[in-house]
Amino acid sequence: MKTAEIARRFVRFFEERGHTVVPSAALPFDDPTLLFVNAGMVPFKPFFLGDERPPYDRAVSVQKCVRTLDIEEVGKTTRHGSFFQMNGNFSFGDYFKEQAIEYAWELVTKPQSEGGYGFEESRLWPTVYKDDDEAYDLWKQLTGLPDERIVRRGMVDNFWSMGVPGPCGPCSEIFYDRGPAYGKEGGPDVDEDRYMEIWNLVFMQNLRGPGEGKEDFPIVGELPAKNIDTGMGLERVAYLLQGVDNLYEIDEVRPVLDRASEVSGRRYGADHEDDVRLRVIADHVRTALMIVSDGVMPGNEGRGYVLRRILRRAVRGMRLLGVDEPTMPELLPASKDVMRGTYPELGTDWARISEVVYAEEEMFRQTLRTGTQIFEQAARETRESGGVELPGGRAFQLHDTYGFPIDLTLEMAGEQGLTVDEEGFRRLMAEQRDRARADARAKKVGHADVSVYSALREPGVTEFTGYTEQATESRVRGIVSGGVSVPVATEGEQVELVLDRTPFYAESGGQLADHGRIRAGGATFDVHDVQAPVPGLVVHRGTVASGELRVGDEVYGEVEATRRRSISRSHTATHMVHKAVREILGDTATQAGSENAPGRLRFDFAAASPPPPSTLQQAEERINSLVAEDLQVEAAVLPKDQALAMGAMALFGQKYGDEVRMVSVGGPWSRELCGGTHAAHTSLLGVVKLLGESSIGSGVRRVEALVGTDAMSHLSRESLLVSQLSDLLKVPRTDLRDRVEQTVNRLRDAEKEIARLRSAQLLQDAGALLEAVHDVGGVSVLTHQAPDGTAVDDLRRLALDLRGRLGDRPAVVVLAGVANDRPGLVVAVTEKGRDSGLRAGRLVGVGAKVLGGGGGGKDDVAQGGGTRPEAVGEALAAVEREIGTTAAGG
């Protein structure tokens, strides 16, 4: 049975039983505790936590998920995948244990000819929480299974929670016996490779308190409404029903594995190490495809770093299989072809997806080239010091700073007869992981703090009136101080106000929050920030400027109008920049972030390479021509499908409901789903000035711009500067660029001539310097401090010239100088000197250390520098002492 068919049967089964079909959320879900959706229940968390009321009592979904905690196990086991799909059925205060167990057993055991999966009952083993007698009895009654096939297990295995105070409860898992060829007999407690979990039914009925781990927390009460949350691993069920040994061989993954095998010439099944690498490649290519499809770009932190790491592991895997050429153009299409049946957006958005992935592979290939040079230097230093083991710190630096995989470091070290301090490397990696986990735990603990806001949200959402008015009468629903609800706030206190209705816009979608003032009788409250800590609840943060505010007070809230209008103009300009850039660069230039502030904006967009220099000028001219046309800006609330059918842009990673707000600029010219505030007409923007464009990471470019009076002030200052330069250089404005270019070129030529003359003078004085040559342990040594301002390149030329004049004898030239307050050092060694054991790279390292820096180079010539110009004489002396020590030892 095909994987897509398994998913279709699951959805159809529960839809026929009254469940609302909920499409998969995007992988970069809007949750501060997660980088990616990592379980099928994540999109429903607000319902389980009580932050939002569910619009349905029952739901079914097939959710895309990414987990990377066990990424090192991918390819080694039968069941670990970084991307997977989770079938799930959910009940919000509707049915509970009996119905959930009955549904699960029916679907799993029903013959395939009747729409089920057809698993043999004799191979199924349910597990229950050790104290959950109700679930145990239900399994017996509903299935007729014998006692020994229903296994009781502890909290670690069969009790679920989110890891923070809140909903929790016992769970019941269904395991499938794969047979004696896969392990020991005796059930899930004995062998979880032979007995594989395929479905987990969570009975969410309790409330837990704070604590660490899976069992070190108290149960503090019962939920008023009991919920069901289940998760069936789609890939696991697929490889059981398809009769293959692991998830890498199912129909949605195997084609990538086969293509990697074909490209590399390594036959799958012939060698264990090669098999693991092929599985990793197949899994990671699919994962990268799905992550990029949902709008994530490779980067050095957060989601972007996860994507980059996964892609680089795939590229590295192909390299370890002996393929040095680009391979993503071979592998990515194979994954797209098998996944687009379920996710058609992979086909429609293929140009953008492939551009991002191919560019990242090429960037990593360049990184490998750079990393190889760094490795060669580290290996050379290890050998020169008499060692045979590359330090763990250097291996970690290669991995962490340059993205150089440890496997490749090990491979290359072996080729040069070196080993690697793997223990030291693993220790540093573990320390880094511990820091990351500590940070993740800190974020999760923060999730519990929203309970006070959830309680204030319970009466209903805050009504936002800011689209049509900038001042509103309302009532104080709550006051929060220090994370706790309080009844009153007095003058001077910094608190958070929750109103039943508000004109203040809460920061979201790149638009900064409104400022303003809230009044109640003799009391005033200055608003300096507005946020939505839980969906639907607006919180006004600020200071009680005078008087006293109480819960229940009637108040009058007024937005700072000038700031709001300025931000609204910026937000409208952002939409126009987005559309203009897409017109010029194509549909792959999708928005990747923005900030709309008073009078200015920042717009990030996807681009695998720098756009042509003319892009900004073209975009600016296009935008301002439409500003002058006074296009109408309209907003309409309508069904999401209708808005998308009308051409509205939906931004990746954003969460949208069934009803959306579509903002149109000039009718169909620009349509985006957006909850922000906007100018009513483009003419109100005045002028939009694009300041520049730059890279902010792999595949992401940033445009910054000024809008309205800020743009006009900028243009006025630029005009004044141009006038001043024109007067200074005595040329008309139209000739200013040519005159400046001529002046700069003349200055460069003069600097080159000065450098040439200085270098010639140094070489001319070389003969006189030879008089300072002296013997150190049988080695002719020349040390010299050049005049201030001598560049290190000049020192190098002089050192090579002097070395040539020293003839066929053991000799070392050591020169130092200071230019721009930075000391430089050059060491040159003759061939006979090298035969005596003298190495320029090691000698320059000794001197550079004294200078507070470092250096390196070849055995015959090396250079370095530092930060201590006052230590130049000391550095020369240190090198001379090292020469003497080496000569004596030789």
Side-chain angles (χ1 to χ4, degrees):
M1 188 183 299
K2 296 290 188 183
T3 304
E5 175 59 22
I6 296 170
R8 278 193 293 269
R9 289 191 179 207
F10 189 92
V11 172
R12 184 167 58 243
F13 178 89
F14 285 100
E15 185 178 21
E16 290 171 351
R17 287 154 182 79
H19 291 65
T20 298
V21 179
V22 179
S24 174
L27 287 167
F29 194 68
D30 185 17
D31 186 320
T33 69
L34 298 172
L35 289 177
F36 296 103
V37 173
N38 63 357
M41 58 77 62
V42 167
F44 304 101
K45 271 177 66 174
F47 306 152
F48 292 132
L49 290 169
D51 296 339
E52 294 183 37
R53 290 194 180 100
Y56 29 68
D57 295 329
R58 304 178 174 197
V60 59
S61 70
V62 179
Q63 175 61 48
K64 298 178 288 187
C65 303
V66 167
R67 288 183 190 169
T68 57
L69 285 177
D70 299 321
I71 194 170
E72 300 295 339
E73 298 303 312
V74 172
K76 300 175 183 177
T77 71
T78 61
R79 62 185 186 275
H80 282 97
S82 51
F83 171 83
F84 60 96
Q85 299 157 94
M86 189 68 75
N87 295 345
N89 60 288
F90 307 88
S91 167
F92 308 102
D94 187 9
Y95 63 84
F96 200 46
K97 293 181 184 179
E98 180 175 1
Q99 197 84 65
I101 292 172
E102 186 177 346
Y103 283 153
W105 190 253
E106 180 184 359
L107 177 57
V108 167
T109 61
K110 179 186 286 190
Q112 294 186 12
S113 60
E114 298 177 19
Y117 296 136
F119 284 109
E120 301 172 43
E121 294 185 14
S122 61
R123 291 191 170 212
L124 299 175
W125 290 63
T127 65
V128 298
Y129 178 55
K130 61 181 182 177
D131 296 331
D132 193 354
D133 295 333
E134 180 186 4
Y136 186 90
D137 293 340
L138 283 169
W139 276 110
K140 288 188 65 176
Q141 295 167 15
L142 295 171
T143 68
L145 290 172
D147 290 353
E148 63 271 14
R149 289 264 301 286
I150 307 171
V151 182
R152 293 180 184 265
R153 308 183 84 181
M155 289 189 77
V156 171
D157 296 304
N158 275 69
F159 200 91
W160 175 91
S161 82
M162 294 185 193
V164 295
C168 64
C171 57
S172 186
E173 298 173 328
I174 303 175
F175 286 78
Y176 178 81
D177 180 4
R178 302 170 71 196
Y182 294 92
K184 300 176 183 177
E185 188 172 352
D189 273 343
V190 175
D191 192 327
E192 286 198 11
D193 281 328
R194 170 174 171 172
Y195 299 88
M196 179 179 296
E197 176 200 341
I198 60 172
W199 203 345
N200 185 15
L201 316 177
V202 176
F203 309 132
M204 208 177 296
Q205 63 189 58
N206 305 111
L207 280 168
R208 61 156 283 185
E212 295 292 328
K214 291 187 175 183
E215 54 185 339
D216 186 19
F217 53 83
I219 304 300
V220 297
E222 296 284 320
L223 288 174
K226 296 177 172 57
N227 306 312
I228 289 293
D229 155 29
T230 85
M232 170 188 274
L234 180 55
E235 282 76 8
R236 291 190 183 188
V237 174
Y239 77 77
L240 292 175
L241 292 180
Q242 293 175 16
V244 296
D245 283 339
N246 54 65
L247 66 85
Y248 315 103
E249 298 176 13
I250 65 173
D251 61 306
E252 289 189 348
V253 186
R254 182 62 186 255
V256 186
L257 189 153
D258 288 340
R259 187 67 186 128
S261 174
E262 181 182 344
V263 170
S264 65
R266 306 292 181 95
R267 184 173 64 84
Y268 183 62
D271 178 83
H272 174 70
E273 285 192 10
D274 285 351
D275 288 353
V276 170
R277 288 167 182 160
L278 288 167
R279 292 171 190 158
V280 169
I281 292 163
D283 170 87
H284 284 14
V285 168
R286 185 170 78 138
T287 302
L289 171 74
M290 301 308 296
I291 292 177
V292 175
S293 171
D294 276 349
V296 179
M297 301 293 291
N300 290 326
E301 58 184 23
R303 293 164 179 152
Y305 178 75
V306 173
L307 171 59
R308 172 162 286 167
R309 183 185 180 203
I310 285 171
L311 267 172
R312 291 185 170 189
R313 278 172 60 90
V315 174
R316 175 197 67 191
M318 291 300 293
R319 180 186 175 96
L320 294 176
L321 291 174
V323 184
D324 290 331
E325 295 77 24
T327 56
M328 287 302 115
E330 299 289 341
L331 305 180
L332 197 69
S335 187
K336 180 256 296 183
D337 290 343
V338 291
M339 296 299 294
R340 68 186 299 180
T342 304
Y343 303 101
E345 62 271 20
L346 296 175
T348 56
D349 203 20
W350 175 245
R352 181 188 66 83
I353 296 169
S354 57
E355 182 180 29
V356 170
V357 173
Y358 299 164
E360 179 63 18
E361 179 181 26
E362 180 54 37
M363 182 177 178
F364 183 45
R365 285 166 53 78
Q366 295 174 7
T367 295
L368 287 176
R369 287 191 284 271
T370 302
T372 299
Q373 295 173 358
I374 303 298
F375 169 83
E376 292 291 348
Q377 179 181 339
R380 183 167 56 250
E381 292 173 358
T382 299
R383 288 193 303 271
E384 289 176 353
S385 65
V388 294
E389 182 179 69
L390 197 71
R394 294 304 298 270
F396 179 75
Q397 179 192 29
L398 279 164
H399 176 275
D400 193 55
T401 305
Y402 300 99
F404 210 63
I406 183 61
D407 289 355
L408 202 52
T409 300
L410 291 168
E411 177 188 351
M412 294 173 63
E415 291 172 354
Q416 299 200 22
L418 299 174
T419 61
V420 178
D421 176 15
E422 289 189 71
E423 182 179 346
F425 171 80
R426 305 291 177 196
R427 184 181 64 253
L428 292 169
M429 286 293 293
E431 291 173 1
Q432 185 184 66
R433 280 195 298 269
D434 288 343
R435 289 192 295 270
R437 285 170 180 163
D439 182 59
R441 282 197 298 271
K443 288 182 178 179
K444 286 189 175 181
V445 170
H447 189 81
D449 295 335
V450 303
S451 57
V452 63
Y453 304 115
S454 299
L456 292 170
R457 164 67 173 75
E458 189 61 31
V461 302
T462 306
E463 180 187 352
F464 178 62
T465 65
Y467 292 134
T468 57
E469 57 189 38
Q470 296 182 17
T472 299
E473 292 181 351
S474 57
R475 183 185 300 272
V476 177
R477 180 186 291 178
I479 303 174
V480 178
S481 178
V484 178
S485 285
V486 295
V488 62
T490 57
E491 185 173 328
E493 284 191 90
Q494 292 188 352
V495 298
E496 299 173 332
L497 289 189
V498 176
L499 311 179
D500 57 359
R501 55 202 309 265
T502 180
F504 289 86
Y505 184 84
E507 181 178 353
S508 64
Q511 179 170 330
L512 298 188
D514 282 332
H515 293 177
R517 178 163 289 185
I518 297 172
R519 297 183 176 87
T524 57
F525 180 80
D526 291 334
V527 179
H528 56 69
D529 189 22
V530 189
Q531 297 292 328
V534 296
L537 188 78
V538 176
V539 173
H540 309 75
R541 296 172 177 168
T543 305
V544 181
S546 62
E548 184 178 271
L549 283 168
R550 292 182 175 275
V551 174
D553 281 355
E554 297 285 346
V555 297
Y556 183 77
E558 187 173 9
V559 171
E560 184 184 316
T562 301
R563 175 184 171 88
R564 160 70 76 80
R565 285 195 295 268
S566 185
I567 293 176
S568 297
R569 289 194 292 266
S570 294
H571 203 154
T572 302
T574 297
H575 285 222
M576 298 181 74
V577 171
H578 189 187
K579 178 63 176 178
V581 168
R582 283 168 62 85
E583 284 183 342
I584 298 167
L585 300 180
D587 290 343
T588 60
T590 53
Q591 182 171 329
S594 67
E595 181 180 88
N596 307 298
R600 60 182 176 83
L601 67 89
R602 187 186 70 216
F603 173 74
D604 302 338
F605 64 96
S609 58
S614 61
T615 300
L616 278 192
Q617 181 183 353
Q618 290 178 272
E620 185 177 289
E621 290 175 354
R622 174 67 165 151
I623 292 164
N624 284 306
S625 68
L626 294 172
V627 166
E629 288 184 24
D630 193 26
L631 301 179
Q632 189 169 0
V633 182
E634 299 175 293
V637 177
L638 64 167
K640 182 175 69 173
D641 291 343
Q642 181 182 344
L644 295 177
M646 294 173 67
M649 284 284 297
L651 301 184
F652 288 112
Q654 294 292 318
K655 182 181 178 182
Y656 299 106
D658 293 333
E659 294 283 317
V660 296
R661 184 170 183 265
M662 180 180 74
V663 175
S664 302
V665 180
W669 181 70
S670 168
R671 283 178 173 156
E672 291 191 26
L673 305 187
C674 178
T677 61
H678 291 271
H681 293 268
T682 59
S683 61
L684 296 175
L685 274 58
V687 65
V688 178
K689 176 60 183 174
L690 305 188
L691 298 177
E693 180 272 335
S694 61
S695 170
I696 61 168
S698 175
V700 182
R701 313 293 298 184
R702 171 169 292 173
V703 171
E704 296 188 74
L706 298 175
V707 184
T709 55
D710 289 80
M712 294 174 187
S713 297
H714 173 80
L715 292 171
S716 176
R717 289 192 299 272
E718 279 201 336
S719 179
L720 177 61
L721 177 61
V722 169
S723 294
Q724 291 171 335
L725 289 173
S726 178
D727 292 342
L728 184 64
L729 295 173
K730 309 297 184 186
V731 294
R733 288 186 174 210
T734 53
D735 298 334
L736 187 58
R737 183 190 178 282
D738 290 341
R739 176 58 62 85
V740 170
E741 185 177 13
Q742 292 170 8
T743 303
V744 169
N745 287 337
R746 284 200 300 271
L747 286 173
R748 287 174 179 165
D749 290 342
E751 288 171 352
K752 289 178 182 177
E753 179 62 16
I754 291 170
R756 187 190 66 78
L757 292 172
R758 184 187 296 121
S759 179
Q761 183 63 44
L762 284 171
L763 294 176
Q764 184 177 337
D765 297 339
L769 292 177
L770 290 174
E771 297 177 5
V773 174
H774 55 284
D775 182 83
V776 178
V779 177
S780 298
V781 178
L782 171 58
T783 61
H784 173 67
Q785 181 174 346
D788 287 350
T790 304
V792 71
D793 288 344
D794 291 334
L795 289 177
R796 187 183 182 94
R797 280 191 290 270
L798 179 59
L800 293 175
D801 180 80
L802 290 168
R803 184 185 66 180
R805 299 188 189 207
L806 289 174
D808 188 21
R809 54 176 163 164
V812 181
V813 177
V814 188
L815 303 181
V818 179
N820 299 320
D821 293 325
R822 301 285 293 187
L825 182 70
V826 175
V827 176
V829 183
T830 63
E831 183 177 352
K832 286 290 182 65
R834 297 195 295 277
D835 292 341
S836 301
L838 296 165
R839 299 288 181 267
R842 186 169 71 246
L843 293 174
V844 88
V846 172
K849 185 176 181 180
V850 175
L851 294 174
K858 297 180 180 180
D859 292 345
D860 62 333
V861 63
Q863 66 186 52
T867 58
R868 300 180 59 218
E870 72 279 4
V872 166
E874 184 183 344
L876 290 172
V879 175
E880 184 165 323
R881 285 195 299 272
E882 182 67 19
I883 293 170
T885 301
T886 304

